[in-house]
Every structure is written in C-alpha cells, then in structure tokens.
mmCIF file of all heavy atoms in Angstrom:
data_model
loop_
_atom_site.group_PDB
_atom_site.id
_atom_site.type_symbol
_atom_site.label_atom_id
_atom_site.label_comp_id
_atom_site.label_asym_id
_atom_site.label_seq_id
_atom_site.Cartn_x
_atom_site.Cartn_y
_atom_site.Cartn_z
ATOM 1 N N SER A 1 5.819 -2.121 -9.823
ATOM 2 C CA SER A 1 5.253 -0.860 -9.420
ATOM 3 C C SER A 1 4.576 -0.104 -10.541
ATOM 4 O O SER A 1 3.518 0.462 -10.420
ATOM 5 C CB SER A 1 6.386 0.018 -8.762
ATOM 6 O OG SER A 1 5.858 1.235 -8.380
ATOM 7 N N VAL A 2 5.314 -0.081 -11.692
ATOM 8 C CA VAL A 2 4.744 0.611 -12.873
ATOM 9 C C VAL A 2 4.939 -0.359 -14.036
ATOM 10 O O VAL A 2 5.988 -0.340 -14.716
ATOM 11 C CB VAL A 2 5.507 1.964 -13.175
ATOM 12 C CG1 VAL A 2 4.863 2.645 -14.342
ATOM 13 C CG2 VAL A 2 5.463 2.851 -11.967
ATOM 14 N N PRO A 3 3.934 -1.218 -14.295
ATOM 15 C CA PRO A 3 4.120 -2.248 -15.330
ATOM 16 C C PRO A 3 3.951 -1.676 -16.711
ATOM 17 O O PRO A 3 3.590 -0.510 -16.920
ATOM 18 C CB PRO A 3 2.964 -3.219 -15.038
ATOM 19 C CG PRO A 3 1.936 -2.366 -14.338
ATOM 20 C CD PRO A 3 2.634 -1.319 -13.544
ATOM 21 N N ALA A 4 4.207 -2.525 -17.726
ATOM 22 C CA ALA A 4 4.060 -2.127 -19.087
ATOM 23 C C ALA A 4 2.637 -2.329 -19.669
ATOM 24 O O ALA A 4 2.370 -1.938 -20.823
ATOM 25 C CB ALA A 4 5.077 -2.890 -19.964
ATOM 26 N N THR A 5 1.767 -2.934 -18.881
ATOM 27 C CA THR A 5 0.362 -3.143 -19.268
ATOM 28 C C THR A 5 -0.518 -2.654 -18.163
ATOM 29 O O THR A 5 -0.081 -2.480 -16.992
ATOM 30 C CB THR A 5 0.101 -4.620 -19.605
ATOM 31 O OG1 THR A 5 0.411 -5.381 -18.401
ATOM 32 C CG2 THR A 5 0.944 -5.095 -20.768
ATOM 33 N N ALA A 6 -1.794 -2.503 -18.423
ATOM 34 C CA ALA A 6 -2.730 -2.063 -17.410
ATOM 35 C C ALA A 6 -2.856 -3.071 -16.273
ATOM 36 O O ALA A 6 -2.887 -2.696 -15.097
ATOM 37 C CB ALA A 6 -4.136 -1.836 -18.056
ATOM 38 N N ASP A 7 -2.864 -4.387 -16.547
ATOM 39 C CA ASP A 7 -2.889 -5.432 -15.493
ATOM 40 C C ASP A 7 -3.908 -5.167 -14.427
ATOM 41 O O ASP A 7 -3.581 -5.114 -13.242
ATOM 42 C CB ASP A 7 -1.446 -5.588 -14.918
ATOM 43 C CG ASP A 7 -1.362 -6.854 -14.056
ATOM 44 O OD1 ASP A 7 -2.207 -7.754 -14.247
ATOM 45 O OD2 ASP A 7 -0.452 -6.914 -13.204
ATOM 46 N N THR A 8 -5.153 -4.903 -14.825
ATOM 47 C CA THR A 8 -6.203 -4.661 -13.850
ATOM 48 C C THR A 8 -6.454 -5.873 -13.001
ATOM 49 O O THR A 8 -6.831 -5.753 -11.797
ATOM 50 C CB THR A 8 -7.499 -4.233 -14.560
ATOM 51 O OG1 THR A 8 -7.841 -5.216 -15.502
ATOM 52 C CG2 THR A 8 -7.291 -2.914 -15.271
ATOM 53 N N ALA A 9 -6.238 -7.069 -13.493
ATOM 54 C CA ALA A 9 -6.507 -8.303 -12.698
ATOM 55 C C ALA A 9 -5.470 -8.370 -11.574
ATOM 56 O O ALA A 9 -5.873 -8.701 -10.402
ATOM 57 C CB ALA A 9 -6.383 -9.529 -13.561
ATOM 58 N N GLY A 10 -4.227 -8.084 -11.843
ATOM 59 C CA GLY A 10 -3.199 -8.088 -10.786
ATOM 60 C C GLY A 10 -3.501 -7.013 -9.774
ATOM 61 O O GLY A 10 -3.321 -7.238 -8.524
ATOM 62 N N PHE A 11 -3.880 -5.824 -10.179
ATOM 63 C CA PHE A 11 -4.232 -4.782 -9.190
ATOM 64 C C PHE A 11 -5.453 -5.162 -8.371
ATOM 65 O O PHE A 11 -5.511 -4.846 -7.168
ATOM 66 C CB PHE A 11 -4.481 -3.436 -9.923
ATOM 67 C CG PHE A 11 -4.710 -2.285 -9.010
ATOM 68 C CD1 PHE A 11 -3.672 -1.714 -8.258
ATOM 69 C CD2 PHE A 11 -5.982 -1.765 -8.812
ATOM 70 C CE1 PHE A 11 -3.812 -0.646 -7.418
ATOM 71 C CE2 PHE A 11 -6.179 -0.687 -7.962
ATOM 72 C CZ PHE A 11 -5.099 -0.096 -7.233
ATOM 73 N N THR A 12 -6.422 -5.849 -8.957
ATOM 74 C CA THR A 12 -7.624 -6.306 -8.199
ATOM 75 C C THR A 12 -7.171 -7.249 -7.127
ATOM 76 O O THR A 12 -7.703 -7.212 -5.980
ATOM 77 C CB THR A 12 -8.574 -6.989 -9.174
ATOM 78 O OG1 THR A 12 -9.028 -6.036 -10.181
ATOM 79 C CG2 THR A 12 -9.799 -7.472 -8.411
ATOM 80 N N ARG A 13 -6.232 -8.162 -7.450
ATOM 81 C CA ARG A 13 -5.819 -9.094 -6.388
ATOM 82 C C ARG A 13 -5.036 -8.306 -5.285
ATOM 83 O O ARG A 13 -5.185 -8.684 -4.117
ATOM 84 C CB ARG A 13 -4.824 -10.150 -7.025
ATOM 85 C CG ARG A 13 -5.569 -11.163 -7.869
ATOM 86 C CD ARG A 13 -4.567 -12.282 -8.281
ATOM 87 N NE ARG A 13 -3.523 -11.821 -9.112
ATOM 88 C CZ ARG A 13 -3.524 -11.772 -10.456
ATOM 89 N NH1 ARG A 13 -4.636 -12.183 -11.120
ATOM 90 N NH2 ARG A 13 -2.482 -11.371 -11.180
ATOM 91 N N GLN A 14 -4.364 -7.293 -5.642
ATOM 92 C CA GLN A 14 -3.653 -6.497 -4.634
ATOM 93 C C GLN A 14 -4.677 -5.741 -3.769
ATOM 94 O O GLN A 14 -4.514 -5.700 -2.526
ATOM 95 C CB GLN A 14 -2.766 -5.417 -5.371
ATOM 96 C CG GLN A 14 -2.142 -4.434 -4.434
ATOM 97 C CD GLN A 14 -1.212 -3.469 -5.231
ATOM 98 O OE1 GLN A 14 -0.357 -3.911 -6.011
ATOM 99 N NE2 GLN A 14 -1.433 -2.194 -5.045
ATOM 100 N N VAL A 15 -5.761 -5.223 -4.290
ATOM 101 C CA VAL A 15 -6.829 -4.555 -3.512
ATOM 102 C C VAL A 15 -7.487 -5.636 -2.548
ATOM 103 O O VAL A 15 -7.714 -5.364 -1.396
ATOM 104 C CB VAL A 15 -7.806 -3.972 -4.418
ATOM 105 C CG1 VAL A 15 -9.025 -3.409 -3.604
ATOM 106 C CG2 VAL A 15 -7.221 -2.835 -5.251
ATOM 107 N N ASP A 16 -7.740 -6.808 -3.071
ATOM 108 C CA ASP A 16 -8.314 -7.871 -2.262
ATOM 109 C C ASP A 16 -7.406 -8.213 -1.088
ATOM 110 O O ASP A 16 -7.895 -8.378 0.049
ATOM 111 C CB ASP A 16 -8.588 -9.101 -3.081
ATOM 112 C CG ASP A 16 -9.859 -9.021 -3.923
ATOM 113 O OD1 ASP A 16 -10.698 -8.241 -3.540
ATOM 114 O OD2 ASP A 16 -9.960 -9.704 -4.949
ATOM 115 N N ALA A 17 -6.133 -8.326 -1.312
ATOM 116 C CA ALA A 17 -5.209 -8.661 -0.254
ATOM 117 C C ALA A 17 -5.119 -7.521 0.798
ATOM 118 O O ALA A 17 -5.089 -7.845 2.002
ATOM 119 C CB ALA A 17 -3.806 -8.925 -0.815
ATOM 120 N N ALA A 18 -5.154 -6.314 0.327
ATOM 121 C CA ALA A 18 -5.128 -5.198 1.296
ATOM 122 C C ALA A 18 -6.380 -5.144 2.082
ATOM 123 O O ALA A 18 -6.352 -4.888 3.318
ATOM 124 C CB ALA A 18 -4.921 -3.852 0.564
ATOM 125 N N ALA A 19 -7.520 -5.433 1.475
ATOM 126 C CA ALA A 19 -8.831 -5.408 2.194
ATOM 127 C C ALA A 19 -8.879 -6.532 3.230
ATOM 128 O O ALA A 19 -9.307 -6.356 4.395
ATOM 129 C CB ALA A 19 -9.975 -5.546 1.225
ATOM 130 N N THR A 20 -8.363 -7.696 2.844
ATOM 131 C CA THR A 20 -8.336 -8.816 3.808
ATOM 132 C C THR A 20 -7.429 -8.547 4.992
ATOM 133 O O THR A 20 -7.737 -8.798 6.143
ATOM 134 C CB THR A 20 -7.895 -10.092 3.073
ATOM 135 O OG1 THR A 20 -8.794 -10.364 1.951
ATOM 136 C CG2 THR A 20 -7.867 -11.288 4.039
ATOM 137 N N GLY A 21 -6.244 -7.951 4.693
ATOM 138 C CA GLY A 21 -5.277 -7.695 5.760
ATOM 139 C C GLY A 21 -5.758 -6.596 6.710
ATOM 140 O O GLY A 21 -5.531 -6.668 7.914
ATOM 141 N N ALA A 22 -6.526 -5.625 6.208
ATOM 142 C CA ALA A 22 -7.030 -4.516 7.026
ATOM 143 C C ALA A 22 -8.392 -4.906 7.716
ATOM 144 O O ALA A 22 -8.838 -4.158 8.581
ATOM 145 C CB ALA A 22 -7.219 -3.285 6.215
ATOM 146 N N GLY A 23 -8.969 -5.951 7.284
ATOM 147 C CA GLY A 23 -10.307 -6.393 7.874
ATOM 148 C C GLY A 23 -11.435 -5.593 7.418
ATOM 149 O O GLY A 23 -12.442 -5.460 8.134
ATOM 150 N N VAL A 24 -11.391 -5.020 6.197
ATOM 151 C CA VAL A 24 -12.493 -4.262 5.672
ATOM 152 C C VAL A 24 -13.180 -5.061 4.513
ATOM 153 O O VAL A 24 -12.659 -6.058 4.065
ATOM 154 C CB VAL A 24 -12.035 -2.899 5.085
ATOM 155 C CG1 VAL A 24 -11.364 -2.092 6.199
ATOM 156 C CG2 VAL A 24 -11.064 -3.081 3.948
ATOM 157 N N THR A 25 -14.355 -4.649 4.143
ATOM 158 C CA THR A 25 -15.070 -5.341 3.112
ATOM 159 C C THR A 25 -15.094 -4.516 1.822
ATOM 160 O O THR A 25 -15.525 -3.338 1.827
ATOM 161 C CB THR A 25 -16.557 -5.576 3.528
ATOM 162 O OG1 THR A 25 -16.593 -6.355 4.748
ATOM 163 C CG2 THR A 25 -17.331 -6.296 2.419
ATOM 164 N N LEU A 26 -14.538 -5.081 0.779
ATOM 165 C CA LEU A 26 -14.516 -4.404 -0.491
ATOM 166 C C LEU A 26 -15.852 -4.448 -1.168
ATOM 167 O O LEU A 26 -16.425 -5.504 -1.355
ATOM 168 C CB LEU A 26 -13.423 -5.040 -1.382
ATOM 169 C CG LEU A 26 -13.277 -4.413 -2.831
ATOM 170 C CD1 LEU A 26 -12.792 -2.991 -2.726
ATOM 171 C CD2 LEU A 26 -12.311 -5.267 -3.583
#
C-alpha cells in the first residue's frame, strides 16, 4: 500500500489492471 520506493512500474501495472477490469481505455 505504501512502499519504500516510488515503484511507478508497479503502479502502472495496477492502473492497467483496473482499466481492463472496468472496460475503459487508458
């Protein structure tokens, strides 16, 4: 939830998964 690094790549994967699950286009 609150990592020790920025981890933008991991957050990008999270956004992709949410967009796919909701059926929207990022």
